[in-house]
Amino acid sequence: MSETGVVTAPRPLLLADGRPAREAWSLLAAHRHLNHGSFGAVPLVAQREQHRLREEMERSPGTWFPGLHTRVAAARTEIAAFLRVAADDLALVPNASGGASVVYANLPTRTRGEIVVTDHGYGAVTMGARRLARRWGGTVRTAHVPLDAGEDEAYGAIAAQLTDATGLIVLDHITSATARWMPVERIGALARERGIPLLIDGAHVPGLAADPLAGVDCDAWVGNLHKFGCAPRGTSALVARGPLRDAFHPLIDSWGAEEPFPHRFDTQGTLDVTSYLAAPTSLAFIDGTWGWDTARTYMRDLADYAERLIADAFAEATGTDATVDVGMPVNALRLVRIPEGLGTTRADADALRDRVAAELGFEAAFTSFGGAGYFRLSTHVYNTPADFEDFVERAVPALVEWAR
């Protein structure tokens, strides 16, 4: 943002040889990829490394699998360093939902216990919480956190749902549908004081925060490396540092089952875990090319520009303010209100995503919250201002017309 308050377009990032950053990815030229936050995008260098590893696995599976646990442990150590946690506190799992499932499967039974979630929770993780509550013969209590709630209001809304029967809190670090932070540090301190286990869903956090768990006290934290970390898909971290960590076992019992946490997760039979092994290549590529601090600054600056550009375009076309007051906004994920009547439910938002991709060539995320529809934009190092300027030129008029 300039000194006059005008949001200016940042200069696009380049590769070391001067080529556009996008050329390090195999993103389709026919599509504008504005939805990194959902499925990520894997750099070519990491794709090639994973392919090389798969070829090695296929050439000699009898050698590959018996020694695989040592390779997984080495990758786990590198990923732990990136997240600034101890390697012995981190297990690798396929995705954040899978890490949450590990926690649900291994928590001590709390008869008629209550589980506290928020109305911003990721659907699959909340479904798992409901299933656990049914096994306990208990209930799920949902804290309503207004979209514009600041840290104090969000903390108060969640704390108000805690009772003597609370057996677990499930809280997003960054929310998926609403692109906001939650006060995990303060809830963590409260949960520890009250003796309540806390699971933090940090699916979007790796890559967006330099030190994701700094000041966070929780029993389990899960984060996807394949989102903003750009690792091959199916690579996530489960960090456990509380009194329950030694009770966490993988969902598959394999030959490492009797090993301590997290080593028991390093052996998972004949699963293809080349995504784990290639993940450090992605992390190192971004670090070595631009540095993670530079990457995060660029993502934030581009998101500032794109959010303002698109909100202004919708406002001009509809006469309605499209800006969204998000109480604890995220650097690389933003919301813009779309015309009334569009994306008002999750199903409608998903259908809109598919139509925009098929008819307009944009990979874009549309979400809903409280009966309103939103465009959730994501930025990464390969995105440029032109991606969002093209969205304004072609997608905004189409969305306005579809709403009519």
Side-chain angles (χ1 to χ4, degrees):
M1 183 178 294
S2 72
E3 293 180 0
T4 62
V6 177
V7 180
T8 56
R11 186 185 301 273
L13 293 181
L14 301 175
L15 298 172
D17 59 8
R19 291 180 297 140
R22 183 188 180 94
E23 293 191 18
W25 276 261
S26 54
L27 297 167
L28 293 174
H31 277 206
R32 298 279 193 180
H33 189 36
L34 311 183
N35 185 22
H36 187 93
S38 286
F39 305 107
V42 186
L44 287 166
V45 64
Q47 293 182 43
R48 291 166 183 150
E49 174 62 7
Q50 186 177 21
H51 181 66
R52 183 192 70 78
L53 290 163
R54 280 183 171 147
E55 285 189 330
E56 182 181 347
M57 175 175 65
E58 296 303 335
R59 280 197 305 269
S60 184
T63 301
W64 174 269
F65 286 104
L68 184 56
H69 65 284
T70 60
R71 294 188 183 216
V72 173
R76 175 164 55 77
T77 298
E78 291 189 63
I79 290 168
F82 172 71
L83 295 176
R84 301 187 187 180
V85 300
D88 279 349
D89 289 341
L90 184 149
L92 292 176
V93 292
N95 51 45
S97 299
S101 295
V102 166
V103 176
Y104 295 152
N106 289 282
L107 280 178
T109 299
R110 177 70 180 266
T111 303
R112 291 185 293 278
E114 296 176 349
I115 301 174
V116 172
V117 302
T118 78
D119 53 355
H120 297 252
Y122 186 67
V125 173
T126 300
M127 289 176 193
R130 293 191 185 116
R131 188 162 64 91
L132 176 59
R134 290 195 294 270
R135 293 205 308 270
W136 283 357
T139 59
V140 170
R141 295 172 64 94
T142 302
H144 170 61
V145 178
L147 186 54
D148 63 354
E151 180 181 332
D152 289 344
E153 185 179 359
Y155 170 82
I158 298 162
Q161 294 299 319
L162 305 183
T163 72
D164 290 341
T166 305
L168 176 66
I169 303 167
V170 182
L171 182 62
D172 290 82
H173 204 155
I174 293 174
T175 62
S176 178
T178 52
R180 57 161 292 147
W181 295 92
M182 285 291 186
V184 294
E185 296 87 353
R186 292 177 63 183
I187 293 297
L190 178 63
R192 189 65 70 210
E193 178 186 326
R194 300 274 294 268
I196 302 171
L198 171 62
L199 164 62
I200 296 177
D201 179 0
H204 293 84
V205 176
L208 292 189
D211 192 353
L213 281 92
V216 178
D217 188 357
C218 61
D219 292 274
W221 179 95
V222 292
N224 288 332
L225 277 297
H226 56 250
K227 288 184 182 285
F228 288 92
C230 292
R233 294 170 192 86
T235 309
S236 301
L238 164 61
V239 179
R241 300 192 289 198
L244 298 175
R245 71 188 291 279
D246 292 333
F248 293 151
H249 288 257
L251 300 178
I252 299 172
D253 284 324
S254 193
W255 286 101
E258 295 182 349
E259 294 291 321
F261 181 93
H263 304 280
R264 60 177 71 117
F265 286 78
D266 295 344
T267 301
Q268 292 287 278
T270 54
L271 291 183
D272 181 352
V273 295
T274 53
S275 61
Y276 297 177
L277 306 187
T281 300
S282 291
L283 302 177
F285 167 70
I286 294 173
D287 191 38
T289 306
W290 301 284
W292 276 100
D293 286 342
T294 296
R296 281 186 284 269
T297 298
Y298 177 75
M299 288 186 256
R300 181 202 64 209
D301 291 348
L302 182 57
D304 286 345
Y305 174 72
E307 178 186 14
R308 172 51 58 191
L309 182 76
I310 296 168
D312 285 351
F314 275 125
E316 183 177 352
T318 65
T320 303
D321 185 7
T323 59
V324 182
D325 184 6
V326 176
M328 299 174 68
V330 179
N331 45 358
L333 287 168
R334 304 295 174 85
L335 293 184
V336 175
R337 183 71 185 267
I338 56 178
E340 187 174 354
L342 293 180
T344 57
T345 67
R346 177 175 176 250
D348 289 345
D350 287 350
L352 191 60
R353 172 201 65 199
D354 296 343
R355 185 179 182 186
V356 166
E359 297 185 23
L360 302 175
F362 292 97
E363 294 191 12
F366 295 90
T367 66
S368 66
F369 183 75
Y374 300 94
F375 169 51
R376 191 202 72 183
L377 66 91
S378 306
T379 58
H380 213 283
V381 294
Y382 54 79
N383 287 124
T384 69
D387 291 330
F388 299 97
E389 290 159 2
D390 189 26
F391 186 88
V392 164
E393 182 177 342
R394 296 191 296 115
V396 167
L399 289 164
V400 171
E401 180 61 29
W402 295 348
R404 291 172 179 160

